[in-house]
């Protein structure tokens, strides 16, 4: 033990950085263990000690290459001041099926587009989910990550209702969800959630639309899109930010914007989930209504 303490002081004095000193000290311990192995009466003990030291050397000081040579640790900034794993998660969302939300004068339109063919599959909705009696959300990104966050959001909302006797406000709920998503960007041994959300609620005469992303940011919007072609779709939505739409006009505007960036056909109507949220009720459009809207919108675009 005295030998190791002396080595530690020596390495700390002569090495340029603490990490370098720890590395030299660990290498010295490996060499000493090899020397003790030759003279020890209990080789098995020395072998075990040597194995532990080598494992420390490999797992702690290995560079750990990642995607395109990136950093595998989520809580580490690179030389450019960026956290690459968070950027990879956001990039994953931009390759997922498109989700879009638009606030209107009489409610909110939520549109979700799945990338898998659902014409011959009987399944539940994949893009739009109910959180509380009046709060809905869309997910864009890794499906399993989205379900995990949805379960967490439902638990948070129900716990708040149980403790306070009133429904949780959408702003507070989104902040709680965003805070938990942000936590997974700064802890060791964790990865960011590869999913972005749109949360929507009509409260009185106020239409509320919020978003969260893998970085844990939280924002309120009049219109917002995630997924494929999200940048161009958001630019198109912002160009009409001053216009006031009814729900019927709003859903046409959503399909019109998406049609200019992606291929939308009536034959894939089952892949398009459309939800109308009003002050009195919320309901999904039937496949026949979606086909009619696509047909009418195509005529306007052409």
């Amino acid at each position: 033990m005295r030998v190791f303490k002396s080595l530690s002081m020596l390495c700390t004095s002569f090495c340029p950085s603490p990490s370098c000193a720890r590395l030299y000290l660990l290498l010295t311990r490996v060499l000493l263990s090899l020397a003790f192995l030759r003279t020890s009466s209990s080789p098995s003990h020395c072998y075990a000690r040597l194995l532990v030291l080598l494992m420390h050397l490999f797992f702690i000081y290995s560079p750990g290459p990642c995607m395109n040579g990136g950093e595998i640790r989520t809580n580490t900034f690179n030389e450019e001041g960026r956290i690459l794993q968070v950027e990879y998660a956001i990039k994953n969302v931009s390759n997922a099926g498109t989700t879009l939300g638009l606030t209107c004068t009489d409610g909110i339109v939520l549109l979700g587009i799945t990338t898998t063919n659902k014409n011959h599959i009987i399944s539940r909705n994949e893009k739009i989910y109910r959180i509380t009696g009046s709060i809905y959300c869309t997910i864009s990104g890794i499906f399993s990550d989205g379900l995990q966050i949805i379960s967490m959001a439902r638990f948070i909302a129900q716990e708040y209702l149980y403790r306070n006797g009133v429904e949780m406000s959408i702003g507070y709920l989104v902040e709680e969800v965003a805070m938990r998503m942000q936590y997974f960007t700064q802890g060791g041994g964790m990865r960011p959630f590869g999913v972005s959300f749109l949360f929507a609620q009509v409260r009185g005469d106020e239409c509320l639309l919020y978003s969260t992303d893998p970085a844990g940011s939280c924002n309120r919007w009049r219109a917002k899109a995630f997924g494929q072609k999200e940048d161009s779709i958001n630019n198109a939505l912002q160009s009409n930010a001053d216009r006031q739409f009814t729900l019927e006009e709003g859903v046409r505007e959503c399909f019109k914007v998406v049609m200019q960036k992606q291929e939308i056909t009536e034959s894939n109507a089952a892949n398009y989930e459309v939800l109308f949220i009003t002050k009195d009720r919320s309901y999904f459009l039937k496949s026949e209504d979606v086909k009619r809207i696509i047909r009418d919108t195509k005529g306007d675009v052409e």
Side-chain angles (χ1 to χ4, degrees), residues 244-270:
Q244 298 292 328
F245 299 100
T246 63
L247 284 174
E248 190 67 26
E249 295 170 344
V251 69
R252 292 175 184 270
E253 179 67 17
C254 291
F255 274 105
K256 179 181 178 181
V257 170
V258 176
M259 279 181 184
Q260 295 172 352
K261 315 300 177 182
Q262 303 177 19
E263 183 180 0
I264 301 293
T265 61
E266 293 182 49
S267 59
N268 292 328

Side-chain angles (χ1 to χ4, degrees), residues 111-114 116-119 255-256 258-274 287-298 302:
L111 170 63
I113 302 176
T114 60
T116 57
N117 191 345
K118 294 172 60 177
N119 288 327
F255 274 105
K256 179 181 178 181
V258 176
M259 279 181 184
Q260 295 172 352
K261 315 300 177 182
Q262 303 177 19
E263 183 180 0
I264 301 293
T265 61
E266 293 182 49
S267 59
N268 292 328
N271 289 8
Y272 313 131
E273 302 172 19
V274 181
S287 180
E288 294 77 12
D289 296 327
V290 174
K291 290 181 180 179
R292 173 182 56 81
I293 293 171
I294 293 174
R295 185 167 54 251
D296 296 343
T297 306
K298 275 190 173 182
E302 295 174 355

Side-chain angles (χ1 to χ4, degrees), residues 50 63 75 136 140 176 191 195 222 261 278 283:
L50 180 61
N75 59 340
Y136 290 81
S140 185
E176 288 290 320
R191 69 163 176 83
V195 63
R222 289 192 60 187
K261 315 300 177 182
T278 67
Y283 57 96

